[in-house]
């Protein structure tokens, strides 16, 4: 493996080195609410575990992570719409800049995948960057 690949792998593993609170949850709660935890990372479906699994601490943890991610996605979409409007009002030739900026939205897809993997594996691990925000208790 080249040094550049090793550095990238090292940085990615450090990025995902977030708090893991799995030991605070009951194993039966984890097993019976994995599906609800996965739903939390699928956009507006975050509402399903928020309302249908109120008693599950594990589902609630992932619903919080998913809700923060969903709100961040909405905020990003609003900001992106404003930026696109400004760029395109300046010149239609700036559409390539708009396209490149739009690709940053893939970060939300990566975070959702990380959350889904954690939920499927029965882990209560915070998402990188956004995981520290708590909206649901």
């Amino acid at each position: 493996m080249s040094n550049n690949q090793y550095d990238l792998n090292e940085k990615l593993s450090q990025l995902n080195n977030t708090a893991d609170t799995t030991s605070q949850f009951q194993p039966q709660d984890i097993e019976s609410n994995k599906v609800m935890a996965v739903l939390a990372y699928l956009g507006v479906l975050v509402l399903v575990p928020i309302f249908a699994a109120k008693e599950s601490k594990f589902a609630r943890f992932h619903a919080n992570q998913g809700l923060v991610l969903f709100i961040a996605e909405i905020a990003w979409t609003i900001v992106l719409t404003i930026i696109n409007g400004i760029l395109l009002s300046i010149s239609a030739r700036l559409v390539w800049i708009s396209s490149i900026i739009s690709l940053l939205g893939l970060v939300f897809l990566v975070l959702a995948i990380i959350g889904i993997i954690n939920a499927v594996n029965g882990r209560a691990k915070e998402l990188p960057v956004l995981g520290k925000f708590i909206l649901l208790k």
Side-chain angles (χ1 to χ4, degrees):
M1 186 179 324
S2 70
N3 282 341
N4 289 340
Q5 273 184 319
Y6 179 74
D7 290 343
L8 180 62
N9 286 339
E10 178 87 18
K11 287 178 183 175
L12 287 176
S13 67
Q14 287 175 356
L15 179 67
N16 198 25
N17 189 14
T18 59
D20 188 344
T21 58
T22 307
S23 62
Q24 297 176 9
F25 299 93
Q26 298 294 327
Q28 65 270 19
D29 180 23
I30 293 172
E31 279 306 311
S32 62
N33 287 292
K34 283 184 180 180
V35 172
M36 289 291 179
V38 169
L39 288 176
Y41 297 100
L42 301 177
V44 75
L45 291 180
V46 69
L47 296 174
V48 174
I50 288 174
F51 294 115
K54 290 180 183 178
E55 303 303 316
S56 168
K57 289 183 179 184
F58 182 72
R60 203 108 178 118
F61 172 85
H62 285 286
N64 179 74
Q65 298 287 295
L67 183 60
V68 170
L69 181 61
F70 186 54
I71 291 170
E73 287 177 55
I74 290 170
W76 170 249
T77 301
I78 292 169
V79 168
L80 184 62
T81 302
I82 293 168
I83 290 171
N84 287 343
I86 292 169
L87 287 173
L88 295 177
S89 69
I90 294 170
S91 173
R93 292 182 184 176
L94 295 176
V95 72
W96 65 273
I97 295 174
S98 175
S99 298
I100 291 172
I101 294 171
S102 297
L103 288 176
L104 292 174
L106 290 175
V107 168
F108 297 110
L109 176 63
V110 170
L111 290 174
I113 290 170
I114 289 170
I116 290 169
I117 290 170
N118 286 336
V120 168
N121 289 329
R123 293 172 42 206
K125 192 168 161 95
E126 291 179 352
L127 290 176
V129 184
L130 300 175
K132 298 219 180 292
F133 296 101
I134 299 173
L135 301 176
L136 300 174
K137 297 234 177 199

